[in-house]
Amino acid sequence: MLTLTSLLLRPTRHQLHHRHVIKHLSTTAGPAATNPSPPLTVPLSHPIYLIWSSNTSLGKTLVSAGLAASSLLSRHRRRSFLYLKPIQTGYPADSDSHFVFSKLTSLVRRSPHLSLLASNHVLKASASAASSISAPQAPKNFDKGMRDLDWCEERRVVGDNSETGPISELLCKTMYAWGDPVSPHLAAEREGGAVEDSALLKMLQRCLQIGVGKEKADSFCVVETAGGVASPGPSGSLQCDLYRPFRLPAILVGDGRLGGISGTISAYESLKIRGYDVVAVVFEDHGLVNEVPLASYFRNSVPVLVLPPIPQDLSDDLMEWYDDAHNVFDSLMEIMLSAYTERTKRLHDMPRRAVDVFWWPFTQHTFVSEGDVTVIDSRCGENFSVFKAQNDDVITQQFDACASWWTQGPDATLQTELARDMGYATARFGHVMFPENVYEPALECAELLLEGVGKGWASRTYFSDNGSTAIEIALKMAFRKFSYDHGILLDHLKENTAERYPELVVLALKGSYHGDTLGAMEAQAPSSYTGFLQQPWYNGRGFFLDPPMVFLSNNMWNLSLPEGLHSRSLNLKNMTFGSRDDIFVKSRDKSDLAGIYSTYISEQLSKFPESKGYIGALIIEPVIQGAGGMHMVDPLFQRVLVNECRKKNIPTIFDEVFTGFWRLGTESAAELLSCFPDIACFGKLMTGGTVPLAATLATNAVFDSFIGDSKLKALLHGHSYSAHAIGCTAAAKSIRWFKDSQRNPNITSKGSLLSELWDDKLVYQISSHPAIQRVVVLGTLCALELRVEGCNAGYGSRYASSLLKKLREDGVYMRPLGHVIYLMCGPCTSPKVCNEALTKVYRRLEELSQSQNN
């Protein structure tokens, strides 16, 4: 293809060149990539805007051309302007990129002092659209499918001072073209030219790259959508969803006609609820003064600009109209440039401002400089959009591999659904008081919890605001139930009584973690979280057992016993497992190991001195201990422990704040243990990770222990925002979505399990890596303990810092638990995404080993 600079050979005023070449007759689909895809990246070195409209045929392309003229021909003069049309139907009769190309070259010819290099490209077209190109090289008969084209028309306009004056460049590109003048999804279907969203976004990313250095900074780009805001793209996805991963700032072309106020507001709200920033609204004047009610609706937060009426007589090719409209386009350009400058300044300033005002949790600020702060511009599905200010400012995607502290589950589709439903709940309810009241979101959520994670055992739902407080509530429930069952429930109606009540403590496991509030911390064994530095009031009101652990190492699932069980006579076959599934089989209940566990637990409980009080509750994290280091407790041990407590009439609490809602591959981790609790706590993933909400579920027997003839016997615990409608709405949507095989492709045919998300071969390969001590993989979790010694071990270790910094450069955001690193996806995350992230981890582990060996 000719370069634009090669056209400036003679000082003629106007030249036109066309290239019509079909490079490939094969379809664009190729073999699947074996390497992980690089993250989507958007440059911020120059302004880039999406041009939307509230409906089709409202003048998006006229606005694009006007912005190009303002950028290249007016006082805003920039060196280059890039116009992108990702989706074009009705081609070649309709070609918006050709319109911008021809309109600008016509406008510049009226300014003798200006020089312009202009080109218009069509990159890919359906077979039928390609066959309609009039060129000798183009065959007339094609099979269906998309074709790679090398089609270009080029013009140069040389001004009077072309020897010394600046030369502007206009680059117009149509990315995908179809011949049928219908909605893109229909055109793609009819012409056999399907294009996946991911392919379109990757193509768009490549097209957004403009030059280098000063040339890049002196550019301006618009991306014009097709049809209206919610018009489908070629795959059927709505375009407002299709382009959401880039979250480019938006210009909305509204409707100045009768009915246009409603359509414009609807389009604006469709963009807003998806997280787009609408910088301005512009529309053609139809004499109805639509700008007044629109400005009132926007409360002057979004500028509304009005273009002059488009003449019916187009004999002058709109030249006079553009003359009349140039002040509006110049104003619009000023708004866009100002918004771009303000945005980039905010992004640059945020790390400095953050380190001055934030007190981050679980963070030693000594180790955090401005350069260490991750600036998150937005989130789309499983990915952060992160601002990076390096050689060039960019927004790049990072896979949220810690699920934002284990809360996240939605893909991009569910995220949008949640935003819409939560907006509805906000508009309908705001917040309403919960005690003795009922409203649909709370009732629906409570019933779904009992029919789902509480199925088969729970009958009551108690709402709170986060996991730690859910635990506090559970402890109150359990202790009341224990006191009720064991005849030690005294008359609490007596006031100012000096009588001493019995001390109640918990039975729990070492390495457990149940939250940060004071009561929840008392229910866990001494750890880095409970020491005097963190919790001077901590007493550890419990009896803490050391549990056996299961892990993958050197291609084998192994059982590790605590010191108290080492002396027991165990067959070696009981210490290893042929597969992870063998760990969970119920037939293990009949094994010798089950008997050994039972004896060990009984012996330990007998050692608890009565002088310390009563063991009033058992509390465990079923299967996986999260914050304690992502350890897998032998499910047989926990099952035996629950049974032993049942014999002693000790209520059982399952802390499922982390493990619930498919985090471990089942809706409730109780399914993995094959036993039920009396009380269970849920949070985090319950709302899809959108807003805080927690629930404590209980049996009828627990509930009945609070029934009496006095309010003082009720459960006197609550929060101002208990069962808030927004959270309950989000929870109901998420609970249904995660278990629906039509919406979540990871749900197996039986509907009770997630399919395997992590590549088994790669997981076993990592388990044998010299840098890895152990691996735990289950459901959405893949945890790796790095092989370390001495001060590099433990929660305070910074050993993993350099490794995780490199992984963030690879587009994988991870946060360690000391020398334990982990990947965590959502229930809807595709195995492909999981394994791309895991592959990046493996490659960095290889680099780590090589550097240690050198």
Side-chain angles (χ1 to χ4, degrees):
M1 183 184 296
L2 295 174
T3 62
L4 290 175
T5 53
S6 69
L7 297 178
L8 278 180
L9 300 177
R10 297 186 301 276
T12 56
R13 181 67 181 139
H14 176 259
Q15 288 186 346
L16 173 64
H17 296 257
H18 289 86
R19 294 289 303 274
H20 309 267
V21 179
I22 299 177
K23 294 173 64 177
H24 301 292
L25 298 184
S26 61
T27 57
T28 57
T34 56
N35 295 323
S37 302
L40 289 176
T41 300
V42 178
L44 279 185
S45 54
H46 57 281
I48 304 174
Y49 280 86
L50 271 170
I51 309 296
W52 299 92
S53 69
S54 55
N55 209 335
T56 190
S57 302
L58 292 179
K60 289 191 301 295
T61 309
L62 291 175
V63 171
S64 296
L67 288 171
S70 181
S71 178
L72 298 175
L73 310 181
S74 73
R75 65 181 182 274
H76 299 293
R77 288 281 299 278
R78 302 181 83 83
R79 185 185 183 280
S80 64
F81 188 94
L82 173 62
Y83 169 86
L84 295 176
K85 184 74 174 181
I87 301 167
Q88 177 72 63
T89 60
Y91 182 84
D94 293 330
S95 175
D96 294 336
S97 64
H98 174 77
F99 177 89
V100 175
F101 165 79
S102 61
K103 194 58 59 184
L104 260 292
T105 52
S106 296
L107 287 169
V108 79
R109 285 201 300 270
R110 302 168 63 193
S111 303
H113 61 288
L114 297 179
S115 297
L116 177 70
L117 303 174
S119 66
N120 177 37
H121 306 253
V122 180
L123 306 183
K124 294 178 183 287
S126 67
S128 60
S131 67
S132 65
I133 297 175
S134 177
Q137 305 98 319
K140 300 303 178 186
N141 296 314
F142 292 87
D143 294 328
K144 288 187 175 183
M146 298 301 290
R147 299 292 180 264
D148 290 326
L149 302 182
D150 183 5
W151 192 98
C152 174
E153 54 182 335
E154 299 168 325
R155 290 176 182 172
R156 69 150 173 112
V157 179
V158 181
D160 296 339
N161 59 348
S162 60
E163 297 293 333
T164 57
I167 302 172
S168 299
E169 181 178 355
L170 172 68
L171 183 61
C172 301
K173 290 185 178 181
T174 296
M175 289 169 38
Y176 294 92
W178 292 265
D180 207 351
V182 293
S183 182
H185 72 293
L186 286 177
E189 180 182 340
R190 292 175 181 179
E191 299 173 40
V195 177
E196 294 297 324
D197 291 352
S198 58
L200 190 148
L201 292 177
K202 288 176 183 177
M203 169 83 77
L204 179 56
Q205 175 183 250
R206 291 195 295 271
C207 291
L208 287 173
Q209 308 303 319
I210 305 176
V212 293
K214 293 182 178 179
E215 174 188 349
K216 195 172 186 177
D218 198 25
S219 302
F220 199 99
C221 174
V222 298
V223 181
E224 184 182 313
T225 61
V229 163
S231 295
S235 72
S237 299
L238 304 186
Q239 289 179 73
C240 48
D241 295 325
L242 168 60
Y243 296 114
R244 177 55 182 82
F246 288 134
R247 208 187 77 87
L248 297 172
I251 298 298
L252 176 60
V253 180
D255 191 345
R257 300 170 302 183
L258 184 64
I261 297 170
S262 176
T264 303
I265 291 174
S266 295
Y268 171 82
E269 292 191 344
S270 292
L271 292 173
K272 200 70 176 177
I273 205 167
R274 287 167 171 80
Y276 288 100
D277 296 327
V278 179
V279 171
V281 173
V282 58
F283 59 85
E284 178 195 355
D285 185 7
H286 285 267
L288 299 178
V289 202
N290 283 5
E291 63 271 21
V292 174
L294 284 173
S296 175
Y297 167 79
F298 292 129
R299 292 176 173 81
N300 298 316
S301 61
V302 178
V304 179
L305 293 84
V306 181
L307 292 165
I310 298 172
Q312 298 299 313
D313 181 7
L314 302 180
S315 58
D316 73 338
D317 202 24
L318 291 175
M319 291 297 103
E320 185 177 342
W321 183 84
Y322 274 104
D323 288 341
D324 294 340
H326 84 272
N327 285 335
V328 179
F329 286 122
D330 284 355
S331 297
L332 180 57
M333 178 61 69
E334 288 178 0
I335 292 169
M336 296 166 75
L337 290 173
S338 176
Y340 163 75
T341 301
E342 291 172 4
R343 182 192 185 196
T344 53
K345 184 179 186 303
R346 285 196 307 271
L347 291 169
H348 277 280
D349 290 347
M350 283 172 69
R352 174 187 56 78
R353 293 165 61 193
V355 297
D356 287 343
V357 300
F358 283 166
W359 190 339
W360 283 297
F362 295 94
T363 298
Q364 177 49 261
H365 282 238
T366 301
F367 303 138
V368 182
S369 65
E370 287 185 26
D372 296 318
V373 178
T374 299
V375 179
I376 300 176
D377 179 70
S378 66
R379 180 189 190 96
C380 185
E382 297 101 339
N383 297 310
F384 295 149
S385 290
V386 173
F387 172 69
K388 289 188 176 182
Q390 298 172 346
N391 296 330
D392 288 318
D393 291 352
V394 298
I395 296 285
T396 186
Q397 286 194 340
Q398 288 184 353
F399 175 65
D400 178 10
C402 62
S404 285
W405 266 345
W406 321 340
T407 64
Q408 293 302 300
D411 55 14
T413 304
L414 177 53
Q415 182 178 347
T416 300
E417 295 258 352
L418 287 169
R420 183 172 60 244
D421 285 6
M422 291 165 66
Y424 166 78
T426 304
R428 180 179 173 186
F429 294 102
H431 176 60
V432 294
M433 194 174 187
F434 184 50
E436 300 175 44
N437 297 327
V438 62
Y439 39 95
E440 285 181 328
L443 182 59
E444 180 185 22
C445 181
E447 290 176 343
L448 283 170
L449 288 167
L450 297 176
E451 294 164 3
V453 292
K455 186 175 182 179
W457 67 273
S459 63
R460 296 285 172 169
T461 300
Y462 199 101
F463 287 109
S464 58
D465 57 353
N466 64 70
S468 185
T469 53
I471 292 294
E472 302 256 358
I473 293 164
L475 291 171
K476 290 183 177 182
M477 291 178 177
F479 290 151
R480 171 69 68 86
K481 179 65 165 66
F482 179 85
S483 300
Y484 184 90
D485 289 345
H486 290 265
I488 56 176
L489 188 61
L490 301 176
D491 187 0
H492 289 271
L493 294 176
K494 294 179 181 179
E495 296 182 5
N496 303 318
T497 179
E499 190 171 355
R500 186 178 181 84
Y501 298 121
E503 179 79 10
L504 296 179
V505 300
V506 301
L507 175 62
L509 302 181
K510 293 180 180 179
S512 61
Y513 182 84
H514 301 293
D516 301 332
T517 54
L518 297 183
M521 295 186 83
E522 288 296 305
Q524 55 203 45
S527 69
S528 301
Y529 306 110
T530 62
F532 185 82
L533 283 173
Q534 302 299 330
Q535 218 289 57
W537 282 1
Y538 174 76
N539 286 318
R541 299 183 183 184
F543 185 50
F544 305 106
L545 301 181
D546 201 358
M549 304 294 187
V550 185
F551 58 89
L552 179 65
S553 179
N554 294 317
N555 295 311
M556 182 68 69
W557 283 94
N558 302 276
L559 175 64
S560 174
L561 297 176
E563 187 173 332
L565 280 170
H566 273 298
S567 60
R568 315 278 172 167
S569 57
L570 285 175
N571 193 315
L572 186 61
K573 70 178 182 180
N574 289 322
M575 304 294 290
T576 59
F577 303 91
S579 71
R580 187 191 60 205
D581 291 345
D582 292 343
I583 300 168
F584 294 98
V585 294
K586 195 71 165 59
S587 60
R588 292 184 67 205
D589 289 356
K590 300 177 182 179
S591 67
D592 294 341
L593 185 58
I596 292 172
Y597 282 163
S598 179
T599 301
Y600 168 73
I601 292 168
S602 297
E603 290 175 354
Q604 293 297 310
L605 291 178
S606 66
K607 295 178 182 178
F608 182 73
E610 291 186 5
S611 60
K612 288 190 175 183
Y614 296 101
I615 295 177
L618 166 67
I619 181 169
I620 61 172
E621 296 168 90
V623 185
I624 299 290
Q625 294 181 329
M630 296 298 174
H631 289 282
M632 181 187 288
V633 181
D634 185 358
L636 173 62
F637 178 83
Q638 289 191 323
R639 188 160 57 246
V640 171
L641 180 60
V642 170
N643 291 335
E644 291 297 321
C645 288
R646 285 265 154 77
K647 294 174 185 177
K648 299 179 182 296
N649 218 7
I650 297 174
T652 296
I653 302 169
F654 282 4
D655 177 357
E656 291 218 54
V657 174
F658 163 51
T659 62
F661 300 106
W662 306 97
R663 183 59 73 200
L664 303 185
T666 55
E667 189 170 20
S668 166
E671 298 173 54
L672 296 172
L673 286 188
S674 299
C675 63
F676 292 138
D678 301 291
I679 304 163
C681 304
F682 298 90
K684 291 191 183 291
L685 194 51
M686 187 167 79
T687 64
T690 51
V691 289
L693 184 72
T696 304
L697 272 57
T699 62
N700 250 333
V702 173
F703 174 76
D704 288 343
S705 66
F706 287 85
I707 300 300
D709 55 4
S710 168
K711 184 174 181 179
L712 298 182
K713 291 184 178 180
L715 179 47
L716 304 181
H717 190 117
H719 302 274
S720 301
Y721 288 92
S722 289
H724 58 91
I726 299 169
C728 289
T729 298
K733 169 71 76 172
S734 299
I735 291 168
R736 282 198 174 99
W737 191 284
F738 291 148
K739 67 173 71 177
D740 185 347
S741 60
Q742 298 299 313
R743 294 171 172 175
N744 182 2
N746 293 330
I747 294 292
T748 60
S749 57
K750 294 181 179 180
S752 60
L753 293 170
L754 288 183
S755 56
E756 198 63 46
L757 301 176
W758 311 97
D759 182 74
D760 199 51
K761 182 178 179 181
L762 183 55
V763 168
Y764 273 79
Q765 191 174 359
I766 291 175
S767 79
S768 300
H769 196 280
I772 297 300
Q773 180 72 30
R774 65 177 176 89
V775 174
V776 170
V777 59
L778 185 63
T780 68
L781 171 69
C782 182
L784 317 174
E785 181 178 339
L786 301 176
R787 193 181 300 277
V788 297
E789 295 179 353
C791 63
N792 286 327
Y795 182 75
S797 171
R798 301 188 68 235
Y799 179 80
S801 298
S802 60
L803 172 63
L804 299 193
K805 186 175 182 180
K806 292 178 179 178
L807 282 165
R808 291 184 186 184
E809 293 172 1
D810 296 336
V812 181
Y813 184 96
M814 299 175 68
R815 185 176 171 91
L817 289 165
H819 65 291
V820 175
I821 65 174
Y822 61 92
L823 293 165
M824 191 177 293
C825 65
C828 303
T829 307
S830 74
K832 178 184 177 183
V833 171
C834 294
N835 293 317
E836 284 187 351
L838 192 58
T839 298
K840 291 174 181 178
V841 171
Y842 179 74
R843 290 179 177 176
R844 289 301 187 181
L845 289 174
E846 288 284 84
E847 289 182 9
L848 178 65
S849 294
Q850 291 173 7
S851 65
Q852 291 175 342
N853 293 332
N854 291 338

